[in-house]
């Protein structure tokens, strides 16, 4: 269900809103997928959250200006790779435009799938896209996790806070 509330414009401009939101710590993940031509796509995402337990559903937000937007807008599946404090460099690489984000990265595919995940990540989720929508300047993907991969022990989390990668104390 989607409901538009009110007709008045937002009270804040985008710069003010961005500044305020920089003080809301957000978990960091890397979203990975393959397109119809089997090309790899991935980006660092802080707009990832669970939205339902029954059924399990997650939401991923992606800017329409992202180089990955088209591929993720058409993908049937994607992986959420949950980052820890030891993945700061990886998060930076996947947040950088114009670089080979997958250079030197160990990948694996989910069984019976071409959907990649990062092999050195402690927790990854394979998700099937159940719906898509455009909201403002972002696309929202709703995914239903179909598998989880756990490896080793998850260390301290890596979060986005104050426009920087940080590890909570």
């Amino acid at each position: 269900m989607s409901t538009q509330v009110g007709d008045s414009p937002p009270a804040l401009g985008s710069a003010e809103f961005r500044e305020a939101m920089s003080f809301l710590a957000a978990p960091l993940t890397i979203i990975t997928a393959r397109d119809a031509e089997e090309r790899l796509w991935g980006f660092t995402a802080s707009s990832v959250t669970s939205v339902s337990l029954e059924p399990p559903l997650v939401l991923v937000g992606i800017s329409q200006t992202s180089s990955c937007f088209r591929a993720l807008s058409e993908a049937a599946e994607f992986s959420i790779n949950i980052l820890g404090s030891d993945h700061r460099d990886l998060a930076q690489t996947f947040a950088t435009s114009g670089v080979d984000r997958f250079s030197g990265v160990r990948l694996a595919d989910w069984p019976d799938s071409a959907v990649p995940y990062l092999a050195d990540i402690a927790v990854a989720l394979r998700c099937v896209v159940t719906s898509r929508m455009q909201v403002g300047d972002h696309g929202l993907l709703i995914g239903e996790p179909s598998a989880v991969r756990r490896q080793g022990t998850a260390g301290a989390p890596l979060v986005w806070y104050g426009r920087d990668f940080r590890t909570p104390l």
Side-chain angles (χ1 to χ4, degrees):
M1 173 173 82
S2 177
T3 304
Q4 180 87 19
V5 178
D7 293 327
S8 60
L12 292 178
S14 60
E16 290 173 296
F17 179 67
R18 182 178 183 182
E19 178 63 21
M21 293 306 293
S22 76
F23 295 101
L24 178 63
L28 283 169
T29 65
I30 292 176
I31 307 301
T32 53
R34 278 199 175 90
D35 64 17
E37 286 80 40
E38 297 295 317
R39 289 179 296 208
L40 291 167
W41 295 92
F43 67 100
T44 300
S46 60
S47 296
V48 176
T49 190
S50 62
V51 293
S52 173
L53 292 176
E54 293 296 331
L57 296 172
V58 293
L59 176 141
V60 175
I62 180 170
S63 172
Q64 292 178 14
T65 61
S66 170
S67 61
C68 296
F69 180 77
R70 183 179 196 114
L72 268 292
S73 294
E74 297 171 358
E77 292 184 281
F78 61 91
S79 290
I80 299 172
N81 301 274
I82 300 172
L83 301 181
S85 60
D86 55 333
H87 300 117
R88 181 182 302 264
D89 291 342
L90 193 61
Q92 184 61 55
T93 297
F94 275 80
T96 303
S97 295
V99 300
D100 179 357
R101 295 174 178 170
F102 291 95
S103 178
V105 174
R106 263 185 2 103
L107 292 175
D109 290 337
W110 295 97
D112 302 320
S113 173
V115 176
Y117 63 88
L118 304 177
D120 297 326
I121 297 294
V123 180
L125 294 166
R126 177 182 175 184
C127 299
V128 176
V129 176
T130 61
S131 61
R132 296 178 173 87
M133 62 193 84
Q134 299 302 307
V135 178
D137 61 358
H138 275 60
L140 301 180
L141 299 175
I142 304 295
E144 184 170 6
S146 61
V148 63
R149 178 181 178 278
R150 293 209 45 166
Q151 169 182 284
T153 304
L158 184 64
V159 300
W160 183 247
Y161 180 79
R163 295 197 192 107
D164 198 6
F165 301 120
R166 299 183 189 265
T167 301
L169 299 174

